[in-house]
Amino acid sequence: MNYLDLLKEQFNHHVLLREKRPGVLQLVAPLYYEDGDMVDIYLESTNGGNEKVRICDHGMTLMRLSYSFDLDTQNKERIFQRILTENRVNEENGNLFTEANPESLYPTILQFAQVVSKVSNMQLYRREVIHSLFYEMLQELIEQSLGKYHPQAHTFPIPERDDLEVDFQFDIKPRPVYLFGVKDTSKARLTTISCLEFQRAKIPFKSFAVHEEFEDLGAKDRRRITSAADKQFVSLDDFKSNAEQVFEREAVAN
């Protein structure tokens, strides 16, 4: 039995293979996009008669995505690349592809179809990935717009208290700025505790909190951190838009 016969059997014969041109077969299988259209999957022979089979989409996934969502920022591109990397899928000139040995073609096709579905629904998947990338994105924004203030990452104003960590310290005289990235309730509470402990230790400082989404915190946590912190940015977009101006005022005032 050759691998195409095996593939048909694994799909319980609910599959067709249409030759589009020599060496290229279109897979017609019960694999669908969210809107009910069939997923575009093609099988190609690899170079020089290599045993591996290339599974690809001939650029159809990104074309569909472009109707409702543009990969027009670094963050969106980062999310896109992360989806591909986590699933060992490559992209070349818009064509998504992976390769498989003939005997593992069936599970690889199923995985590829899942990747295609994720990419075509990136506008829905984006929030989940952004949550996991929050600190990376915050660091990138700081390096891009606040590098002249020489930020120091992961500092401990009270050396014997390694549970009270400042995400970024800016030594702006006469009082340093302690900046905390706050992506969830537990970090909001730790930030509140840290600020209160630094105040109790009579450390001169100003505290800034950058939230992933301030409104996602409970009412009590919003009140506590608002009382403890000197300045808050309610989202990464807020920080991106206003951080430079705020830090410039801080530097001039001192």
Side-chain angles (χ1 to χ4, degrees):
M1 180 181 296
N2 66 39
Y3 74 88
L4 294 179
D5 290 332
L6 175 61
L7 184 63
K8 290 176 182 178
E9 186 174 282
Q10 289 170 323
F11 271 106
N12 200 25
H13 298 284
H14 295 299
V15 63
L16 293 174
L17 293 163
R18 295 174 178 164
E19 186 174 27
K20 304 301 288 185
R21 61 177 184 268
V24 178
L25 297 173
Q26 181 180 11
L27 179 72
V28 182
L31 302 168
Y32 301 97
Y33 293 108
E34 289 278 325
D35 61 6
D37 287 349
M38 194 165 288
V39 172
D40 301 283
I41 297 179
Y42 300 86
L43 307 180
E44 299 180 350
S45 303
T46 53
N47 294 335
N50 189 311
E51 287 186 1
K52 287 185 178 292
V53 178
R54 173 168 289 196
I55 304 158
C56 62
D57 73 339
H58 285 186
M60 299 300 293
T61 304
L62 290 182
M63 185 181 75
R64 289 176 61 92
L65 179 66
S66 68
Y67 298 151
S68 59
F69 189 82
D70 293 322
L71 296 176
D72 54 0
T73 68
Q74 283 187 336
N75 290 335
K76 290 178 183 178
E77 180 66 27
R78 189 202 302 263
I79 293 166
F80 171 62
Q81 292 298 334
R82 179 166 180 162
I83 293 171
L84 300 188
T85 300
E86 287 179 347
N87 293 278
R88 295 189 291 276
V89 171
N90 301 295
E91 182 266 332
E92 186 177 77
N93 297 324
N95 181 36
L96 306 186
F97 69 92
T98 188
E99 294 182 353
N101 292 317
E103 61 272 14
S104 60
L105 194 54
Y106 177 71
T108 307
I109 286 172
L110 296 184
Q111 183 184 21
F112 184 78
Q114 289 180 339
V115 175
V116 165
S117 179
K118 278 187 176 180
V119 171
S120 63
N121 288 287
M122 264 188 64
Q123 67 270 34
L124 306 178
Y125 184 67
R126 181 171 177 260
R127 180 169 176 79
E128 175 188 336
V129 180
I130 282 180
H131 185 70
S132 66
L133 290 174
F134 173 73
Y135 290 110
E136 293 176 37
M137 293 164 62
L138 176 59
Q139 181 172 353
E140 184 178 283
L141 288 173
I142 288 171
E143 290 172 351
Q144 288 176 351
S145 60
L146 302 175
K148 63 183 177 181
Y149 299 108
H150 309 295
Q152 304 171 56
H154 310 300
T155 65
F156 299 91
I158 304 176
E160 63 272 18
R161 292 292 304 275
D162 60 3
D163 57 321
L164 304 177
E165 180 180 0
V166 172
D167 293 324
F168 294 94
Q169 177 174 327
F170 301 82
D171 288 328
I172 299 175
K173 295 183 182 298
R175 292 183 297 170
V177 171
Y178 296 165
L179 186 147
F180 300 87
V182 181
K183 81 169 186 175
D184 53 29
T185 297
S186 62
K187 185 58 185 290
R189 292 173 181 173
L190 180 58
T191 297
T192 299
I193 292 168
S194 297
C195 290
L196 294 175
E197 288 295 318
F198 297 155
Q199 292 168 17
R200 187 174 300 154
K202 300 188 183 304
I203 297 173
F205 73 100
K206 292 195 78 169
S207 54
F208 290 1
V210 182
H211 295 271
E212 181 185 42
E213 185 51 67
F214 179 70
E215 294 300 327
D216 285 349
L217 298 177
K220 288 183 179 179
D221 290 304
R222 291 200 302 268
R223 286 197 298 270
R224 288 169 184 151
I225 196 169
T226 297
S227 176
D230 295 301
K231 168 66 181 174
Q232 295 186 85
F233 299 89
V234 297
S235 66
L236 275 176
D237 286 339
D238 180 24
F239 183 70
K240 183 177 181 179
S241 299
N242 299 302
E244 265 190 282
Q245 184 179 1
V246 170
F247 272 77
E248 285 172 5
R249 288 202 306 268
E250 194 66 31
V252 170
N254 293 322

